Every structure is written in structure tokens, then in C-alpha cells.
Amino acid sequence: MATEIERKFLVKDLEAVRQHSVRSYSISQGYISSGNGRTVRVRLRDEEAFLTIKGPSLDGGISRYEWEQPVNPSDARELMLLCELPPIVKTRHIVPFGGHTFEVDEFHEANEGLVVAEVELKSPGEAFDRPQWLGEEVTGQKRYYNASLSALPYSKW
């Protein structure tokens, strides 16, 4: 099982992100099960689909166990019908910067207006350059977890 190590930040300049993005794609994801820090997620990303299981957060929210496998998109659409809550809908922008890749999620629908960047690291203490558009760090703040945003959308904060 792989360990995902990432830090999460708010974005203060979405236009700069769009200008430096090398790829963007649409994502719709739902949670078949979430609780006790564990999630089972189904995700449709353009024409691809994935089933992901994540464990509880460690290191103050920086790392967690993750298992992900591709699934048939038609199966994923059927699995979306089993999800607990409405799906998360977002556009993901891929932005390389300083030797790292930032994944910037521009949320839509009930989470419209929220823009969050994640950078994956090799270790919890790994240093990385911060682009100017990166704002406040929200690593470990559960309300910014996608499963939490499904249950309590940004528009209701």
C-alpha cells in the first residue's frame, strides 16, 4: 500500500494558476463510504475512472495510506449511484513549479469559489518552492478534505 504525502493550500490567484497550467481536466467524485478518517471514493476524470481507498491521516494531515485502481468508466458511473452524498465536481489544473507539480482544484456547484492546491512530497519535511499564487496552508484541516466538502459544502460555511 502506498503512502500519500502532500500539503494543501488555498489559492489566492486562480488566473495565474490557469496561465501556468499545462493540463486541466474535469473530475466528478463521490464517496461510497466515509468515516473514522477512512474513505472509499469513486472518481470520474474525463474519460478515465478510479476506485480509491484512503486511510486516516497521519503526521498532522500530511500523510495517509492510499490504494487506487483504475476501473471501467461505466462501472464507475454505476458506483456513483451508491454514494452517500452528492458528488464533488471540480476542474483540476496541473501546474509544475520549482521541481514539483501542484494539483489545483477549482471547485464547482455547492463548493463554487473554493480553490485548493496540493503538492505531493517524498517525505513530510521535504522543502519546496512556493509559487506566488499559493495562499494559506490548510494541511490537516478536515473541512478542506473532499469527503468533508461533500457533507458540508463550502457554500454553507
Side-chain angles (χ1 to χ4, degrees):
M1 189 175 327
T3 300
E4 173 185 63
I5 301 170
E6 66 184 14
R7 291 180 55 191
K8 189 178 287 201
F9 300 84
L10 297 178
V11 171
K12 57 186 181 181
D13 187 351
L14 179 56
E15 194 52 42
V17 166
R18 289 179 178 152
Q19 288 173 1
H20 294 95
S21 174
V22 295
R23 181 174 177 214
S24 297
Y25 42 86
S26 299
I27 292 175
S28 178
Q29 66 188 39
Y31 292 86
I32 295 169
S33 179
S34 62
N36 297 320
R38 294 167 179 83
T39 59
V40 179
R41 173 185 80 199
V42 60
R43 173 183 280 175
L44 291 158
R45 183 180 75 195
D46 287 343
E47 300 304 315
E48 299 177 301
F50 303 88
L51 183 64
T52 306
I53 300 171
K54 292 189 176 193
S57 293
L58 308 167
D59 304 322
I62 293 176
S63 37
R64 66 192 298 193
Y65 294 104
E66 178 182 66
W67 176 90
E68 182 171 81
Q69 291 295 314
V71 295
N72 182 298
S74 63
D75 291 339
R77 283 188 281 281
E78 286 186 36
L79 288 171
M80 289 291 269
L81 299 174
L82 299 175
C83 293
E84 301 171 325
L85 301 162
I88 295 286
V89 179
K90 59 189 177 181
T91 301
R92 175 162 288 169
H93 305 282
I94 305 301
V95 185
F97 185 85
H100 286 86
T101 299
F102 288 82
E103 294 181 339
V104 180
D105 289 341
E106 175 185 0
F107 289 86
H108 305 296
E109 297 183 2
N111 290 294
E112 189 74 36
L114 180 62
V115 184
V116 176
E118 296 177 348
V119 60
E120 288 205 21
L121 305 171
K122 293 182 177 92
S123 68
E126 180 182 350
F128 61 95
D129 294 330
R130 292 176 57 122
Q132 289 184 336
W133 45 262
L134 208 60
E136 173 190 351
E137 183 165 6
V138 294
T139 301
Q141 293 185 32
K142 292 183 181 175
R143 71 181 184 165
Y144 291 101
Y145 292 2
N146 283 267
S148 296
L149 290 169
S150 185
L152 182 60
Y154 182 67
S155 62
K156 296 187 178 183
W157 291 7

